[in-house]
Amino acid sequence: MRLIKIIVLFLLAHALETSAFQVMTFNMKNDSVETLKTMQEFFTSNPATKPQLVLLQEMHIRYDDQNLTDTVKDFSSILDYPYYAGISRPKDYEAVGIASTFPFMLNPLNGKDSVWALHFKITGKHKRAAIFADFNVPKIGRLRVINTHLEHIKTNGEIRKSQMTELLDFMEHLQKIVPADAIIFGGDLNSNKTESFYVGELDAITTGTATINFLDFNGTDVTSHDARRIDYIFHTPLKSPLTFERETILFSSPILGHNSKGKTDIGALIKISDHNAVMHTFKLGK
């Protein structure tokens, strides 16, 4: 098993020497098998656009005595991501998740995989949460990835601010007890920094904490069905060579894929989600 892990890390290191490091955030909304197969075929035809890390929102995870629904697992299986984790909220079981080509790192405090869940104390109608996961990435070391889906009601800006404060406080807490070498944070924040109504809601991200200051290279391209920019990726390289190169918006138009009737033939135009995916490309060096 140890030899296999060494081989995997060697291959990942070689891949990062020759290709870009890409991170995508995507509110899937439609996480049906047909949609996932359509995405798989898109990335197979466009391999340069396939990210190594994916932050997923509006997935579904539900455990009961009879069956298991876990669309984070389905996404990871169909799109060939060997490492994944997700957390769901009660009642409607909506989930946020992370899929990765990189292995989880062990938490030195408990010897288990470094995955944490933060369930916000202040919420609106729906419970909200964030997932934290640490990955072993060649040339970086411990990369901490945080994914969340904040309060969605437009007029509940104070709730979003509270959730962001709690999120940053938890990031700072983790950084003190298990320091990361770099941090990437993203998700569906339900706030548009270019619209006057939302002014100041996201300022805390770039203001940062005592040890964490995020860089903001997000553009203004819309990412939601109502023509707003609400999906973001932020990063802080800390002491790593993580350097931003470009932003790409994916799935803004329908693509050819499996139709919604479950047929396996290709030929239907599918809009993957009512959101567009945001992808940031990094290089590991100056």
Side-chain angles (χ1 to χ4, degrees):
M1 181 63 70
R2 181 176 176 80
L3 177 61
I4 293 174
K5 287 185 177 180
I6 292 173
I7 293 172
V8 169
L9 290 175
F10 173 80
L11 293 174
L12 287 172
H14 176 71
L16 287 183
E17 290 287 347
T18 57
S19 64
F21 173 51
Q22 295 173 312
V23 180
M24 182 176 80
T25 183
F26 195 21
N27 183 320
M28 284 286 298
K29 189 70 172 181
N30 178 8
D31 53 14
S32 67
V33 171
E34 291 76 33
T35 300
L36 297 179
K37 287 182 178 179
T38 297
M39 290 182 67
Q40 176 198 38
E41 286 150 4
F42 173 84
F43 286 127
T44 299
S45 301
N46 303 275
T49 65
K50 185 177 180 180
Q52 285 91 357
L53 281 164
V54 185
L55 285 58
L56 296 162
Q57 303 90 44
E58 292 207 37
M59 307 300 280
H60 293 87
I61 300 176
R62 179 174 182 172
Y63 301 89
D64 56 40
D65 295 336
Q66 310 246 319
N67 55 50
L68 163 66
T69 299
D70 187 342
T71 59
V72 176
K73 180 180 179 180
D74 293 342
F75 177 96
S76 302
S77 176
I78 292 174
L79 277 81
D80 195 23
Y81 287 95
Y83 308 99
Y84 64 90
I87 57 171
S88 63
R89 65 194 190 194
K91 294 186 179 180
D92 65 357
Y93 306 100
E94 185 178 297
V96 292
I98 298 174
S100 172
T101 58
F102 305 108
F104 291 104
M105 293 193 75
L106 291 181
N107 183 337
L109 299 180
N110 60 18
K112 298 179 180 179
D113 287 350
S114 293
V115 178
W116 295 271
L118 174 66
H119 295 272
F120 296 122
K121 296 174 183 176
I122 298 179
T123 63
K125 179 180 178 181
H126 298 293
K127 300 291 185 181
R128 299 284 178 173
I131 184 171
F132 291 62
D134 285 5
F135 298 97
N136 187 359
V137 179
K139 300 182 72 174
I140 292 180
R142 183 179 290 270
L143 174 65
R144 181 157 297 146
V145 180
I146 300 112
N147 175 28
T148 194
H149 187 186
L150 297 185
E151 167 63 27
H152 70 295
I153 300 297
K154 182 175 181 178
T155 54
N156 284 349
E158 290 304 314
I159 293 179
R160 280 188 291 276
K161 287 181 182 179
S162 173
Q163 291 171 346
M164 186 58 62
T165 297
E166 190 176 354
L167 190 56
L168 290 166
D169 287 345
F170 192 64
M171 290 184 200
E172 178 72 10
H173 170 70
L174 281 184
Q175 187 63 11
K176 288 178 179 177
I177 61 173
V178 186
D181 298 305
I183 303 174
I184 290 175
F185 160 56
D188 179 351
L189 306 187
N190 277 312
S191 185
N192 183 359
K193 63 181 182 178
T194 64
E195 190 176 338
S196 59
F197 184 89
Y198 299 96
V199 167
E201 284 192 5
L202 303 182
D203 288 354
I205 300 172
T206 50
T207 299
T209 67
T211 61
I212 301 169
N213 293 101
F214 284 104
L215 301 177
D216 180 3
F217 290 97
N218 292 281
T220 57
D221 292 327
V222 301
T223 61
S224 67
H225 65 92
D226 54 359
R228 295 184 298 151
R229 175 59 182 260
I230 59 177
D231 303 274
Y232 299 91
I233 297 173
F234 301 88
H235 79 284
T236 177
L238 297 175
K239 296 181 180 180
S240 77
L242 190 67
T243 304
F244 176 81
E245 280 198 326
R246 65 183 178 275
E247 176 178 275
T248 308
I249 305 297
L250 295 173
F251 308 124
S252 57
S253 300
I255 59 176
L256 285 174
H258 291 265
N259 63 36
S260 60
K261 296 180 180 179
K263 294 183 179 179
T264 56
D265 60 302
I266 295 180
L269 277 174
I270 289 183
K271 183 69 169 72
I272 298 295
S273 174
D274 62 352
H275 286 243
N276 303 331
V278 176
M279 185 163 70
H280 280 193
T281 299
F282 300 91
K283 62 179 180 179
L284 298 179
K286 301 293 185 181

